[in-house]
Amino acid sequence: MTKSKELFNDAVNLMPGGVNSPVRAFRAVGGDPVFFASAKGPMLTDVDGEDYIDYIGSWGPFILGHSHPRVVEALHAQLDRAMSFGAPTEIENELAQKIIEIVPSIEMVRMVNSGTEATLSAIRLARAFTKRDKIIKFEGCYHGHGDSFLIKAGSGVATLGLPDSPGVTPSTANDTLTARYNDRASIEELVTEFPDQIACIILEPVVGNMGCVPPQDGFLQDVRDLCTREGILLIFDEVMTGFRLAPGGAQERFGVTPDLTTLGKIIGGGLPVGAYGGRRDIMEMVAPAGPMYQAGTLSGNPLAMTAGLETLRVLTENPELYPKLDAQTARLEEGFQSNLDDMDLPYTINRVGSMITLFFTERNVRNWDDAKTCDTGLYGSYFSEMLRRGIYLPPAQFEAAFLSIMHDDDIIARTVEANRESLKVIKRNG
Ligand code: KE4
C-alpha cells in the first residue's frame, strides 16, 4: 500500500471526506487523492517520492512556480522578525500601494484571508452602498462558499452535483438571482423583473469554475453599460484572474472597469490572502471609516503580505513574463489539439492566457448549459491516465488548469506526449 493511501485511510476518519476542501478528494475522477510532500518550480513530489508536473499551482497562486527563491528568501527574513501582531504594519501599506498601482479599478483596498471573505464582503458592501438587497450571479460561476453564492455555483459545487447547498436559507437564496454567462438578455430580464432592487452583478470576467470560459466579444462591456444605466454595482471576481491574465488582471486585458474587484490566490503568493477594493467613495463605507462592518484576526498578516508582495514585485519587474506565459500555454494548446484531431474524440479547448481547459464535449463551451454536456466520465479516465504518467491536472472537469513561468519547453513537450499516450488508452478503452 502506498503512503498516500495509508494517509488517506487515516484522513477520512479525521476530516470530512479526508480533505479540507472538497475538490481535492478526487470524487469526480475516481481513485484516492495523492498526498504531496514537496514542490519546486513546476514540479510536485508526493509522499511516495513520485514526481509530477503541476497544472494546479495550488489552484492559481503559483504563477511564479512553487517556492520562487525571492519569495522564500523574503519569507525567511519576515519570519525572523515576526509572524503576526494584530496591529498595523508597514508591509500592509506596501502591498495595498502595489495593488492600487496595478489594478485599474482599485483606489482603496481591504485585505482579508481568502477569496470567499473577499466576495462575501464585497456583496455586503454593495448592498450597504446601494441600499438594495438582491444580487445577480451567473450559473456555473463560483465565488467561494458564502451562502449567497451557493446557488447554481460552479467549481466543486458543480463537480459534486450540489447545485444548491443545504444550509442556505430560502430567504438568502431568494436574494440571489442567476443569469446565463455570455447572455446579456438573461440579465435584462432580471433587471426588468426586479427594478431598483439589484445591488450588484458579480461575475468571473474570465470563468475558471466551469472550466475556462472566456467572455464573448462585448459581453463584459455590455454588463458594464447595463450596471451604469441601472445604478447597479459591477463586481469583477478576479480571485483567479487577478495578476494572472495581465498585471491588472482581466479588467486590464479586456479594458472594462468594474466598481469593485475581489482578489485572492496570487495576491498571497501561496499564503492565505484575499482582498476587495475599488472606488474610494464605495470603500470608505467599510468600518471603521464607515458603517459597513468587516474584520479579521489575521487580515494583513505580515507573512502572507510578504509572500504576496514579493510575488507581485517579481511580476511587475518582469512584464515580459506575461507574453511568455501566454505563448507557452498556446504551445500546450496546440500540442493537445494536434493529438486530439488525430483521435476523433469529442473535445473543445478554451484558453485565455495561462488558464486552459480541455472539455470532453463537441459543443463550444460558452456557458454552464454547454459545460454540463461534457463527458465527465471520460475526463475522469483521462485524468487518471495523465496522473499515471506524472501529470497532475485539476481532478475535475469543471476547473481550469494553470501554467507557471517555470513551465518551459521541455515541460510542455513531456505533457503533450503524456496527453497523446493517455488519449490513445481512453480511445482504445472506448
Ligand atoms: P477561496 O475562499 O477558496 O480562497 O476563494 C474562493 C473563490 C472565489 N472566486 C473565485 C473566482 C474562485 O476561483 C475561488 C476559489 N477557486 C477554487 C478553484 N476553482 C478553489 C479551490 C477549492 O475550492 O479548493
Coordinates of all heavy atoms in Angstrom, one line a residue, residues 23 55-56 59-60 138-144 153-159 181-182 203-215 237-242 244-245 250 254 265 350-352 354-359 365-368 371 379 394-402:
V23 N -12.9 19.6 -3.6 CA -12.4 19.2 -4.9 C -11.1 18.3 -4.8 O -10.8 17.6 -5.7 CB -12.1 20.5 -5.8 CG1 -10.9 21.2 -5.3 CG2 -12.0 20.1 -7.2
Y55 N -0.2 21.3 -12.8 CA -1.1 22.2 -13.6 C -2.2 22.8 -12.7 O -3.2 23.3 -13.2 CB -1.7 21.4 -14.8 CG -0.6 21.3 -15.9 CD1 0.2 20.2 -16.0 CD2 -0.4 22.4 -16.8 CE1 1.2 20.1 -17.0 CE2 0.6 22.4 -17.7 CZ 1.4 21.2 -17.8 OH 2.4 21.1 -18.8
I56 N -2.0 22.7 -11.4 CA -2.9 23.3 -10.5 C -2.3 24.5 -9.8 O -2.9 25.6 -9.7 CB -3.4 22.3 -9.4 CG1 -4.3 21.3 -10.0 CG2 -4.1 23.1 -8.3 CD1 -4.9 20.3 -9.0
W59 N -4.2 25.8 -7.1 CA -5.4 26.4 -7.6 C -5.2 27.9 -8.0 O -6.1 28.7 -7.9 CB -6.6 26.3 -6.7 CG -6.9 24.8 -6.5 CD1 -6.5 24.0 -5.4 CD2 -7.6 24.0 -7.4 NE1 -7.0 22.7 -5.6 CE2 -7.6 22.7 -6.8 CE3 -8.2 24.1 -8.7 CZ2 -8.2 21.6 -7.5 CZ3 -8.8 23.1 -9.3 CH2 -8.8 21.8 -8.7
G60 N -4.0 28.2 -8.4 CA -3.7 29.5 -9.0 C -2.6 30.4 -8.5 O -2.0 31.1 -9.2
F138 N -23.9 34.3 -12.0 CA -24.1 33.6 -13.3 C -24.0 32.1 -13.0 O -23.1 31.6 -12.2 CB -23.1 34.0 -14.3 CG -23.4 35.4 -14.8 CD1 -22.8 36.5 -14.1 CD2 -24.2 35.7 -15.9 CE1 -23.1 37.8 -14.5 CE2 -24.4 37.0 -16.3 CZ -23.9 38.0 -15.6
E139 N -24.9 31.3 -13.6 CA -24.8 29.8 -13.5 C -23.5 29.3 -13.8 O -22.9 29.7 -14.9 CB -25.9 29.2 -14.4 CG -27.3 29.4 -14.0 CD -28.3 28.8 -15.0 OE1 -27.8 28.2 -16.0 OE2 -29.5 29.0 -14.8
G140 N -22.9 28.5 -13.0 CA -21.6 27.9 -13.2 C -20.4 28.7 -12.7 O -19.3 28.3 -12.7
C141 N -20.7 30.0 -12.3 CA -19.6 30.8 -11.7 C -19.5 30.4 -10.2 O -20.6 30.2 -9.6 CB -19.8 32.3 -11.9 SG -19.4 32.9 -13.6
Y142 N -18.3 30.5 -9.7 CA -18.1 30.2 -8.3 C -17.4 31.4 -7.7 O -16.4 31.9 -8.2 CB -17.3 28.9 -8.2 CG -16.9 28.5 -6.7 CD1 -17.8 28.0 -5.9 CD2 -15.6 28.7 -6.3 CE1 -17.5 27.6 -4.6 CE2 -15.3 28.3 -5.0 CZ -16.2 27.8 -4.1 OH -15.9 27.4 -2.8
H143 N -17.9 31.8 -6.5 CA -17.3 32.9 -5.8 C -17.0 32.6 -4.4 O -17.0 33.5 -3.5 CB -18.3 34.1 -5.9 CG -18.7 34.5 -7.3 ND1 -17.8 35.0 -8.2 CD2 -19.9 34.3 -7.9 CE1 -18.5 35.2 -9.4 NE2 -19.7 34.7 -9.2
G144 N -16.6 31.3 -4.1 CA -16.4 30.9 -2.7 C -17.6 30.4 -2.1 O -18.7 30.2 -2.8
A153 N -23.9 27.1 -8.4 CA -22.5 27.5 -8.4 C -21.6 26.6 -9.2 O -22.1 25.4 -9.5 CB -21.9 27.6 -7.0
G154 N -20.4 27.0 -9.6 CA -19.5 26.1 -10.3 C -18.5 25.4 -9.4 O -18.8 25.2 -8.2
S155 N -17.3 25.2 -9.9 CA -16.2 24.5 -9.2 C -16.7 23.3 -8.5 O -17.4 22.5 -9.0 CB -15.6 25.6 -8.2 OG -14.5 25.0 -7.5
G156 N -16.3 23.1 -7.2 CA -16.5 21.9 -6.5 C -18.0 21.6 -6.3 O -18.5 20.5 -6.3
V157 N -18.8 22.7 -6.3 CA -20.3 22.5 -6.1 C -20.9 21.8 -7.3 O -21.6 20.9 -7.2 CB -20.9 23.9 -5.9 CG1 -22.4 23.8 -5.5 CG2 -20.2 24.7 -4.8
A158 N -20.4 22.3 -8.5 CA -20.9 21.7 -9.7 C -20.4 20.3 -9.9 O -21.0 19.3 -10.2 CB -20.5 22.5 -10.9
T159 N -19.1 20.1 -9.5 CA -18.4 18.8 -9.6 C -19.1 17.8 -8.8 O -19.3 16.7 -9.2 CB -16.9 19.0 -9.1 OG1 -16.2 19.8 -10.1 CG2 -16.2 17.7 -9.1
Y181 N -24.2 33.1 -18.4 CA -23.0 33.7 -18.8 C -23.0 33.9 -20.3 O -23.5 33.1 -21.1 CB -21.8 32.9 -18.4 CG -20.5 33.7 -18.3 CD1 -20.2 34.5 -17.3 CD2 -19.5 33.5 -19.3 CE1 -19.0 35.2 -17.2 CE2 -18.3 34.3 -19.3 CZ -18.1 35.1 -18.2 OH -16.9 35.8 -18.2
N182 N -22.4 35.1 -20.7 CA -22.4 35.4 -22.2 C -23.8 35.6 -22.8 O -24.0 35.5 -24.0 CB -21.6 34.4 -23.0 CG -20.1 34.5 -22.9 OD1 -19.6 35.7 -22.9 ND2 -19.4 33.4 -22.7
L203 N -19.4 38.7 -11.3 CA -19.0 37.6 -12.2 C -17.5 37.4 -12.3 O -16.7 38.3 -11.9 CB -19.5 38.0 -13.6 CG -18.8 39.0 -14.5 CD1 -19.2 38.9 -15.9 CD2 -19.1 40.4 -13.9
E204 N -17.2 36.3 -12.8 CA -15.8 36.0 -13.1 C -15.5 36.5 -14.5 O -16.2 36.1 -15.5 CB -15.5 34.5 -13.2 CG -15.7 33.7 -11.8 CD -15.4 32.2 -12.0 OE1 -14.3 31.8 -12.4 OE2 -16.4 31.5 -11.7
P205 N -14.7 37.6 -14.7 CA -14.6 38.2 -16.0 C -14.0 37.2 -17.1 O -14.3 37.3 -18.3 CB -13.6 39.3 -15.8 CG -13.0 39.1 -14.5 CD -13.9 38.2 -13.7
V206 N -13.2 36.2 -16.7 CA -13.0 35.0 -17.4 C -13.3 33.9 -16.4 O -12.7 33.8 -15.3 CB -11.5 34.9 -17.9 CG1 -11.3 33.5 -18.5 CG2 -11.2 36.0 -18.9
V207 N -14.2 33.0 -16.8 CA -14.6 32.0 -15.9 C -13.6 30.9 -15.8 O -13.0 30.5 -16.8 CB -16.0 31.3 -16.3 CG1 -16.4 30.3 -15.2 CG2 -17.0 32.4 -16.5
G208 N -13.3 30.5 -14.5 CA -12.4 29.3 -14.4 C -13.2 28.2 -13.8 O -12.8 27.0 -13.9
N209 N -14.3 28.5 -13.2 CA -15.0 27.5 -12.4 C -16.1 26.7 -13.0 O -16.8 25.9 -12.4 CB -15.6 28.2 -11.1 CG -14.4 28.6 -10.2 OD1 -13.7 27.7 -9.7 ND2 -14.2 29.9 -10.1
M210 N -16.2 26.8 -14.4 CA -16.9 25.8 -15.2 C -15.9 25.0 -15.9 O -16.3 24.2 -16.7 CB -17.8 26.5 -16.2 CG -18.9 27.4 -15.7 SD -19.9 28.1 -17.1 CE -20.2 29.8 -16.5
G211 N -14.7 25.2 -15.7 CA -13.6 25.1 -16.6 C -13.4 26.5 -17.2 O -14.2 27.4 -16.9
C212 N -12.4 26.7 -18.1 CA -12.1 28.1 -18.6 C -13.2 28.5 -19.6 O -13.4 27.8 -20.6 CB -10.7 28.1 -19.2 SG -10.3 29.7 -19.9
V213 N -13.9 29.5 -19.3 CA -14.9 30.0 -20.3 C -14.7 31.5 -20.5 O -14.9 32.3 -19.6 CB -16.3 29.8 -19.8 CG1 -17.4 30.4 -20.8 CG2 -16.6 28.3 -19.6
P214 N -14.2 32.0 -21.7 CA -14.0 33.4 -21.9 C -15.2 34.2 -22.1 O -16.3 33.6 -22.5 CB -13.2 33.4 -23.2 CG -12.9 31.9 -23.6 CD -13.9 31.1 -22.8
P215 N -15.2 35.5 -21.8 CA -16.4 36.3 -22.2 C -16.4 36.5 -23.7 O -15.3 36.7 -24.3 CB -16.0 37.6 -21.5 CG -14.5 37.7 -21.5 CD -14.1 36.2 -21.3
D237 N -15.0 39.4 -10.0 CA -14.4 38.5 -9.1 C -13.1 38.0 -9.8 O -13.1 37.1 -10.6 CB -15.3 37.3 -8.7 CG -14.6 36.3 -7.8 OD1 -13.4 36.5 -7.5 OD2 -15.3 35.3 -7.4
E238 N -12.0 38.6 -9.4 CA -10.7 38.3 -10.0 C -9.8 37.5 -9.1 O -8.6 37.6 -9.2 CB -10.0 39.6 -10.5 CG -10.8 40.4 -11.6 CD -9.9 40.8 -12.7 OE1 -9.0 40.1 -13.2 OE2 -10.1 42.0 -13.2
V239 N -10.4 36.8 -8.2 CA -9.6 35.9 -7.3 C -8.7 35.0 -8.2 O -7.6 34.7 -7.8 CB -10.6 35.1 -6.4 CG1 -9.9 33.9 -5.8 CG2 -11.3 36.0 -5.4
M240 N -9.2 34.5 -9.3 CA -8.4 33.6 -10.1 C -7.7 34.4 -11.2 O -6.6 34.1 -11.6 CB -9.4 32.6 -10.8 CG -8.7 31.4 -11.4 SD -9.9 30.3 -12.2 CE -10.4 29.3 -10.8
T241 N -8.3 35.4 -11.8 CA -7.8 36.1 -13.0 C -6.8 37.2 -12.6 O -6.0 37.6 -13.4 CB -8.9 36.6 -13.9 OG1 -9.7 37.5 -13.0 CG2 -9.8 35.5 -14.4
G242 N -6.9 37.7 -11.4 CA -6.1 38.8 -10.9 C -4.7 38.5 -11.0 O -4.2 37.5 -10.5
R244 N -3.0 37.3 -13.1 CA -2.7 36.2 -13.9 C -2.8 36.5 -15.4 O -2.0 36.1 -16.2 CB -3.6 34.9 -13.6 CG -3.3 33.7 -14.5 CD -3.8 32.4 -14.0 NE -3.0 31.9 -12.9 CZ -1.9 31.2 -13.1 NH1 -1.4 31.0 -14.3 NH2 -1.2 30.8 -12.0
L245 N -4.0 37.1 -15.8 CA -4.2 37.4 -17.2 C -3.5 38.6 -17.7 O -3.5 38.9 -18.9 CB -5.7 37.4 -17.5 CG -6.5 36.1 -17.1 CD1 -7.9 36.2 -17.5 CD2 -5.8 34.9 -17.8
A250 N -8.0 40.6 -15.6 CA -8.9 40.6 -16.7 C -9.3 42.0 -17.1 O -9.5 42.3 -18.3 CB -10.1 39.7 -16.5
F254 N -9.1 43.2 -20.8 CA -10.3 43.4 -21.7 C -10.7 44.9 -21.6 O -11.7 45.2 -22.3 CB -11.5 42.5 -21.2 CG -11.2 41.0 -21.5 CD1 -10.7 40.2 -20.5 CD2 -11.6 40.5 -22.7 CE1 -10.4 38.9 -20.8 CE2 -11.4 39.2 -23.0 CZ -10.8 38.3 -22.0
K265 N -5.6 34.2 -4.1 CA -4.6 33.4 -4.8 C -3.3 34.0 -5.0 O -2.5 34.2 -4.0 CB -5.2 32.8 -6.1 CG -6.5 32.0 -5.9 CD -7.1 31.5 -7.2 CE -8.5 30.8 -6.9 NZ -8.4 29.5 -6.4
N350 N -10.8 25.6 -24.4 CA -10.8 27.0 -24.1 C -9.6 27.5 -23.4 O -9.1 26.8 -22.5 CB -12.1 27.4 -23.2 CG -13.4 27.3 -24.0 OD1 -13.4 27.3 -25.2 ND2 -14.5 27.4 -23.3
R351 N -9.0 28.6 -23.9 CA -7.8 29.2 -23.2 C -7.9 30.7 -23.2 O -8.2 31.3 -24.2 CB -6.6 28.7 -24.0 CG -5.3 29.3 -23.3 CD -4.1 28.8 -24.1 NE -3.9 29.5 -25.4 CZ -3.4 30.7 -25.5 NH1 -3.0 31.4 -24.5 NH2 -3.3 31.2 -26.7
V352 N -7.5 31.3 -22.1 CA -7.2 32.7 -22.0 C -5.9 32.8 -21.2 O -5.9 32.4 -20.1 CB -8.3 33.5 -21.3 CG1 -8.0 35.0 -21.3 CG2 -9.7 33.3 -22.0
S354 N -2.9 32.0 -19.5 CA -2.3 30.8 -18.9 C -3.4 30.0 -18.1 O -3.1 29.1 -17.3 CB -1.2 31.1 -17.9 OG -1.6 32.0 -16.9
M355 N -4.7 30.2 -18.5 CA -5.8 29.4 -18.0 C -6.3 28.6 -19.2 O -6.5 29.2 -20.2 CB -6.9 30.3 -17.5 CG -6.6 31.1 -16.2 SD -7.9 32.3 -15.8 CE -9.4 31.3 -15.6
I356 N -6.4 27.3 -19.0 CA -6.8 26.4 -20.1 C -7.6 25.2 -19.6 O -7.4 24.7 -18.5 CB -5.5 25.9 -20.8 CG1 -5.9 25.1 -22.1 CG2 -4.6 25.2 -19.9 CD1 -4.7 24.8 -23.0
T357 N -8.6 24.8 -20.4 CA -9.4 23.6 -20.1 C -9.6 22.8 -21.3 O -10.0 23.4 -22.3 CB -10.7 24.0 -19.4 OG1 -10.5 24.7 -18.2 CG2 -11.6 22.8 -19.1
L358 N -9.4 21.5 -21.2 CA -9.8 20.6 -22.3 C -11.1 20.0 -21.8 O -11.2 19.3 -20.8 CB -8.7 19.5 -22.4 CG -9.1 18.2 -23.1 CD1 -9.6 18.5 -24.5 CD2 -7.9 17.2 -23.2
F359 N -12.2 20.4 -22.6 CA -13.6 19.9 -22.3 C -13.8 18.7 -23.2 O -13.6 18.8 -24.4 CB -14.6 21.0 -22.6 CG -14.6 22.2 -21.7 CD1 -13.9 23.3 -22.1 CD2 -15.2 22.2 -20.5 CE1 -13.9 24.5 -21.4 CE2 -15.2 23.4 -19.7 CZ -14.6 24.5 -20.2
V365 N -18.0 25.8 -25.6 CA -18.4 26.0 -24.2 C -18.4 27.4 -23.9 O -17.4 28.1 -23.7 CB -17.5 25.2 -23.2 CG1 -17.9 25.4 -21.8 CG2 -17.5 23.7 -23.6
R366 N -19.6 28.0 -23.9 CA -19.7 29.5 -23.6 C -20.5 29.8 -22.4 O -20.6 30.9 -21.9 CB -20.5 30.1 -24.8 CG -19.9 30.0 -26.2 CD -20.9 29.9 -27.3 NE -21.8 28.7 -26.9 CZ -22.8 28.4 -27.7 NH1 -23.1 29.0 -28.8 NH2 -23.5 27.3 -27.4
N367 N -21.1 28.7 -21.8 CA -21.9 28.9 -20.5 C -22.0 27.6 -19.8 O -21.6 26.6 -20.3 CB -23.2 29.6 -20.8 CG -24.0 28.7 -21.8 OD1 -24.0 27.5 -21.8 ND2 -24.6 29.4 -22.8
W368 N -22.8 27.6 -18.7 CA -22.9 26.3 -17.9 C -23.7 25.3 -18.7 O -23.4 24.1 -18.7 CB -23.6 26.6 -16.6 CG -23.9 25.4 -15.8 CD1 -25.1 25.0 -15.3 CD2 -22.9 24.4 -15.4 NE1 -24.9 23.8 -14.6 CE2 -23.6 23.4 -14.6 CE3 -21.5 24.2 -15.5 CZ2 -23.0 22.3 -14.1 CZ3 -20.9 23.1 -15.0 CH2 -21.7 22.2 -14.3
A371 N -21.2 23.6 -20.8 CA -20.2 22.9 -20.0 C -20.8 21.6 -19.5 O -20.1 20.5 -19.5 CB -19.7 23.8 -18.8
Y379 N -13.5 12.4 -18.8 CA -12.5 13.3 -18.2 C -11.8 12.5 -17.1 O -10.6 12.6 -16.9 CB -13.1 14.6 -17.7 CG -12.0 15.5 -17.1 CD1 -11.2 16.3 -17.9 CD2 -11.7 15.4 -15.7 CE1 -10.2 17.1 -17.3 CE2 -10.6 16.1 -15.2 CZ -9.9 17.0 -16.0 OH -8.9 17.7 -15.5
P394 N -6.2 19.4 -12.8 CA -7.3 19.5 -11.9 C -8.1 18.2 -11.8 O -8.5 17.7 -12.9 CB -8.1 20.7 -12.5 CG -7.1 21.4 -13.3 CD -6.2 20.4 -13.8
P395 N -8.5 17.7 -10.6 CA -9.2 16.5 -10.5 C -10.7 16.7 -10.7 O -11.5 16.2 -10.0 CB -8.9 16.0 -9.1 CG -8.6 17.2 -8.4 CD -8.0 18.2 -9.3
A396 N -11.1 17.5 -11.8 CA -12.5 17.7 -12.0 C -12.6 18.4 -13.4 O -11.8 19.3 -13.7 CB -13.1 18.6 -11.0
Q397 N -13.6 18.0 -14.2 CA -13.8 18.7 -15.5 C -14.1 20.2 -15.4 O -13.7 21.0 -16.2 CB -14.9 18.0 -16.2 CG -15.4 18.6 -17.5 CD -14.4 18.5 -18.6 OE1 -14.4 17.6 -19.4 NE2 -13.5 19.5 -18.8
F398 N -14.8 20.6 -14.3 CA -15.2 22.0 -14.2 C -14.2 22.8 -13.4 O -14.6 23.5 -12.5 CB -16.6 22.0 -13.6 CG -17.6 21.2 -14.3 CD1 -18.3 20.2 -13.7 CD2 -17.8 21.3 -15.7 CE1 -19.2 19.4 -14.3 CE2 -18.7 20.4 -16.4 CZ -19.4 19.5 -15.7
E399 N -13.0 22.7 -13.8 CA -11.9 23.5 -13.3 C -10.9 23.9 -14.4 O -10.8 23.2 -15.4 CB -11.1 22.7 -12.2 CG -11.9 22.3 -11.0 CD -12.3 23.4 -10.0 OE1 -11.8 24.6 -10.3 OE2 -13.0 23.2 -9.1
A400 N -10.3 25.1 -14.2 CA -9.2 25.5 -15.1 C -7.9 25.0 -14.7 O -7.6 24.8 -13.5 CB -9.2 27.0 -15.2
A401 N -7.0 24.7 -15.6 CA -5.6 24.3 -15.3 C -4.8 25.6 -15.5 O -5.2 26.5 -16.2 CB -5.1 23.3 -16.3
F402 N -3.7 25.7 -14.7 CA -2.9 26.9 -14.7 C -1.4 26.5 -15.0 O -0.9 25.5 -14.6 CB -2.9 27.5 -13.3 CG -4.3 27.8 -12.8 CD1 -4.9 27.0 -11.9 CD2 -4.9 29.0 -13.2 CE1 -6.2 27.3 -11.4 CE2 -6.2 29.3 -12.8 CZ -6.8 28.4 -11.9

